[in-house]
Coordinates of all heavy atoms in Angstrom, one line a residue:
A399 N 10.0 -0.2 35.4 CA 10.9 0.8 36.2 C 12.0 1.3 35.3 O 12.4 2.4 35.3 CB 11.3 0.2 37.5
E400 N 12.6 0.3 34.5 CA 13.7 0.7 33.7 C 13.3 1.8 32.6 O 14.1 2.6 32.3 CB 14.3 -0.5 33.0 CG 15.3 -1.2 33.9 CD 15.7 -2.6 33.4 OE1 15.2 -3.0 32.3 OE2 16.5 -3.3 34.0
I401 N 12.1 1.6 32.2 CA 11.6 2.6 31.2 C 11.4 4.0 31.8 O 11.7 5.0 31.2 CB 10.3 2.1 30.5 CG1 10.5 0.8 29.8 CG2 9.8 3.1 29.4 CD1 9.3 0.1 29.2
V402 N 11.0 3.9 33.1 CA 10.9 5.2 33.8 C 12.3 5.9 33.8 O 12.4 7.1 33.6 CB 10.4 5.0 35.3 CG1 10.3 6.4 36.0 CG2 9.0 4.4 35.3
V403 N 13.3 5.1 34.2 CA 14.7 5.7 34.2 C 15.1 6.2 32.8 O 15.6 7.3 32.7 CB 15.7 4.6 34.7 CG1 17.1 5.1 34.6 CG2 15.3 4.2 36.1
H404 N 14.7 5.4 31.8 CA 15.0 5.8 30.4 C 14.3 7.1 30.1 O 15.0 8.0 29.5 CB 14.5 4.7 29.5 CG 15.1 4.8 28.1 ND1 14.4 5.6 27.2 CD2 16.2 4.3 27.5 CE1 15.1 5.5 26.1 NE2 16.2 4.8 26.2
I405 N 13.1 7.3 30.5 CA 12.4 8.5 30.2 C 13.0 9.7 30.9 O 13.2 10.8 30.4 CB 10.9 8.4 30.5 CG1 10.2 7.3 29.6 CG2 10.1 9.7 30.3 CD1 8.8 6.9 30.1
A406 N 13.4 9.4 32.2 CA 14.0 10.5 33.0 C 15.3 10.9 32.3 O 15.6 12.1 32.2 CB 14.3 10.0 34.4
D407 N 16.1 10.0 31.8 CA 17.3 10.3 31.1 C 17.0 11.1 29.8 O 17.7 12.1 29.5 CB 18.1 9.0 30.7 CG 18.7 8.4 31.9 OD1 18.8 9.1 32.9 OD2 19.1 7.2 31.8
E408 N 16.0 10.6 29.1 CA 15.6 11.3 27.8 C 15.2 12.7 28.1 O 15.5 13.6 27.4 CB 14.4 10.5 27.2 CG 14.1 11.0 25.8 CD 12.8 10.4 25.3 OE1 12.5 9.2 25.6 OE2 12.1 11.0 24.5
S409 N 14.5 12.9 29.3 CA 14.0 14.3 29.5 C 15.2 15.2 29.9 O 15.1 16.4 29.7 CB 12.9 14.3 30.6 OG 13.4 13.8 31.8
K410 N 16.3 14.6 30.4 CA 17.5 15.4 30.6 C 18.0 16.0 29.3 O 18.4 17.1 29.1 CB 18.6 14.6 31.4 CG 18.7 15.0 32.8 CD 20.0 14.4 33.5 CE 19.6 13.2 34.3 NZ 20.5 12.1 34.3
L411 N 18.1 15.1 28.4 CA 18.5 15.4 27.0 C 17.6 16.5 26.5 O 18.0 17.5 25.8 CB 18.5 14.2 26.1 CG 19.5 13.2 26.2 CD1 19.2 12.0 25.2 CD2 20.9 13.8 25.9
H412 N 16.3 16.4 26.8 CA 15.3 17.3 26.4 C 15.7 18.7 26.9 O 15.6 19.7 26.1 CB 14.0 16.9 27.0 CG 12.8 17.0 26.1 ND1 12.5 16.0 25.3 CD2 11.9 18.0 25.9 CE1 11.4 16.3 24.6 NE2 11.1 17.6 25.0
I413 N 16.1 18.8 28.1 CA 16.4 20.1 28.7 C 17.7 20.7 28.0 O 17.7 21.9 27.7 CB 16.6 20.0 30.2 CG1 15.2 19.7 30.9 CG2 17.2 21.2 30.8 CD1 15.3 19.2 32.3
D414 N 18.7 19.8 27.8 CA 19.9 20.3 27.1 C 19.5 20.8 25.7 O 20.0 21.8 25.3 CB 20.9 19.1 27.0 CG 21.4 18.7 28.3 OD1 21.2 19.4 29.3 OD2 22.0 17.6 28.4
Y415 N 18.7 20.0 25.1 CA 18.3 20.4 23.7 C 17.5 21.7 23.7 O 17.8 22.5 22.8 CB 17.5 19.2 23.1 CG 17.3 19.3 21.6 CD1 18.4 19.4 20.7 CD2 16.0 19.2 21.1 CE1 18.1 19.5 19.4 CE2 15.8 19.3 19.7 CZ 16.8 19.4 18.9 OH 16.6 19.5 17.5
C416 N 16.6 21.8 24.7 CA 15.8 23.1 24.8 C 16.8 24.3 25.0 O 16.5 25.3 24.4 CB 14.9 23.0 25.9 SG 13.4 22.1 25.5
A417 N 17.8 24.0 25.8 CA 18.8 25.2 26.1 C 19.3 25.7 24.8 O 19.5 26.9 24.6 CB 19.9 24.7 27.0
K418 N 19.6 24.8 23.8 CA 20.2 25.2 22.5 C 19.2 26.1 21.8 O 19.5 26.9 20.9 CB 20.4 24.0 21.7 CG 21.6 23.2 22.1 CD 22.1 22.2 21.1 CE 23.1 21.3 21.7 NZ 22.9 19.9 21.3
W419 N 17.9 26.0 22.1 CA 16.9 26.8 21.5 C 16.5 28.0 22.3 O 15.5 28.7 22.1 CB 15.6 25.9 21.2 CG 15.8 25.0 20.1 CD1 16.3 23.7 20.2 CD2 15.5 25.2 18.7 NE1 16.4 23.1 19.0 CE2 15.8 24.0 18.0 CE3 14.9 26.2 18.0 CZ2 15.7 23.8 16.7 CZ3 14.7 26.0 16.6 CH2 15.1 24.9 16.0
G420 N 17.3 28.2 23.4 CA 17.1 29.4 24.3 C 16.0 29.2 25.3 O 15.5 30.1 25.8
I421 N 15.6 27.9 25.5 CA 14.5 27.7 26.5 C 15.1 27.2 27.8 O 15.9 26.2 27.8 CB 13.5 26.6 26.0 CG1 13.2 26.8 24.5 CG2 12.3 26.6 26.8 CD1 12.5 25.5 23.9
T422 N 14.8 27.9 28.9 CA 15.4 27.6 30.2 C 14.6 26.5 30.9 O 13.4 26.3 30.6 CB 15.6 28.8 31.1 OG1 14.2 29.2 31.4 CG2 16.4 29.9 30.5
Y423 N 15.2 25.8 31.9 CA 14.5 24.8 32.7 C 13.3 25.4 33.4 O 12.2 24.9 33.3 CB 15.5 24.2 33.7 CG 14.8 23.2 34.6 CD1 14.4 22.0 34.1 CD2 14.6 23.5 35.9 CE1 13.8 21.0 34.9 CE2 13.9 22.6 36.8 CZ 13.6 21.4 36.3 OH 12.9 20.5 37.1
E424 N 13.5 26.6 34.0 CA 12.4 27.3 34.7 C 11.2 27.5 33.7 O 10.1 27.3 34.1 CB 12.8 28.7 35.3 CG 13.7 28.6 36.5 CD 15.0 27.9 36.2 OE1 15.6 28.2 35.1 OE2 15.5 27.2 37.1
E425 N 11.6 28.0 32.5 CA 10.5 28.3 31.6 C 9.7 27.0 31.3 O 8.5 27.1 31.2 CB 11.2 28.8 30.3 CG 10.5 29.9 29.6 CD 11.2 30.3 28.3 OE1 12.5 30.4 28.4 OE2 10.6 30.4 27.3
I426 N 10.4 25.9 31.1 CA 9.7 24.7 30.8 C 8.8 24.3 31.9 O 7.6 24.0 31.7 CB 10.7 23.5 30.6 CG1 11.6 23.8 29.4 CG2 10.0 22.2 30.3 CD1 12.8 22.8 29.2
V427 N 9.3 24.2 33.2 CA 8.4 23.7 34.2 C 7.3 24.6 34.6 O 6.3 24.3 35.2 CB 9.3 23.2 35.5 CG1 10.1 22.0 35.2 CG2 10.1 24.3 36.0
N428 N 7.5 25.9 34.3 CA 6.4 26.9 34.6 C 5.4 27.0 33.4 O 4.5 27.8 33.5 CB 7.0 28.3 34.9 CG 7.7 28.2 36.3 OD1 7.2 27.5 37.2 ND2 8.9 28.8 36.4
T429 N 5.7 26.3 32.3 CA 4.7 26.4 31.2 C 3.4 25.7 31.6 O 3.5 24.5 32.1 CB 5.3 25.7 30.0 OG1 6.5 26.4 29.6 CG2 4.4 25.7 28.8
P430 N 2.3 26.3 31.4 CA 1.0 25.6 31.7 C 0.8 24.5 30.6 O 1.2 24.6 29.5 CB -0.1 26.6 31.6 CG 0.6 27.9 31.2 CD 2.1 27.7 30.9
E431 N 0.3 23.4 31.1 CA 0.0 22.3 30.1 C -1.1 22.7 29.2 O -2.1 23.3 29.6 CB -0.5 21.1 30.9 CG 0.5 20.2 31.5 CD -0.1 19.1 32.3 OE1 -0.8 19.3 33.3 OE2 0.0 17.9 31.9
S432 N -0.9 22.5 27.9 CA -1.9 22.8 26.9 C -3.1 21.8 27.0 O -2.9 20.7 27.6 CB -1.3 22.7 25.5 OG -1.2 21.3 25.2
M433 N -4.2 22.1 26.5 CA -5.4 21.2 26.6 C -5.1 19.9 25.9 O -5.5 18.8 26.4 CB -6.6 21.9 26.1 CG -7.3 22.9 27.0 SD -7.6 22.1 28.6 CE -6.7 23.1 29.7
A434 N -4.4 20.0 24.8 CA -4.1 18.7 24.0 C -3.2 17.8 24.9 O -3.4 16.6 24.9 CB -3.4 19.1 22.7
N435 N -2.3 18.4 25.6 CA -1.5 17.7 26.5 C -2.2 17.0 27.7 O -2.1 15.8 28.0 CB -0.4 18.6 27.0 CG 0.9 17.9 27.4 OD1 0.9 16.7 27.5 ND2 2.0 18.6 27.6
V436 N -3.1 17.9 28.3 CA -3.9 17.3 29.4 C -4.8 16.2 28.9 O -4.8 15.1 29.5 CB -4.8 18.5 30.0 CG1 -5.8 17.9 31.0 CG2 -4.0 19.6 30.6
A437 N -5.4 16.4 27.7 CA -6.3 15.3 27.2 C -5.5 14.0 27.0 O -6.0 13.0 27.5 CB -6.9 15.8 25.9

Side-chain angles (χ1 to χ4, degrees):
E400 276 171 358
I401 301 175
V402 177
V403 174
H404 192 274
I405 296 170
D407 288 346
E408 189 189 330
S409 61
K410 253 192 260 146
L411 287 177
H412 223 86
I413 290 166
D414 295 345
Y415 191 53
C416 281
K418 288 194 192 138
W419 287 85
I421 317 166
T422 63
Y423 176 72
E424 283 67 35
E425 219 180 315
I426 298 170
V427 290
N428 289 321
T429 299
E431 278 179 294
S432 74
M433 281 305 124
N435 207 346
V436 173

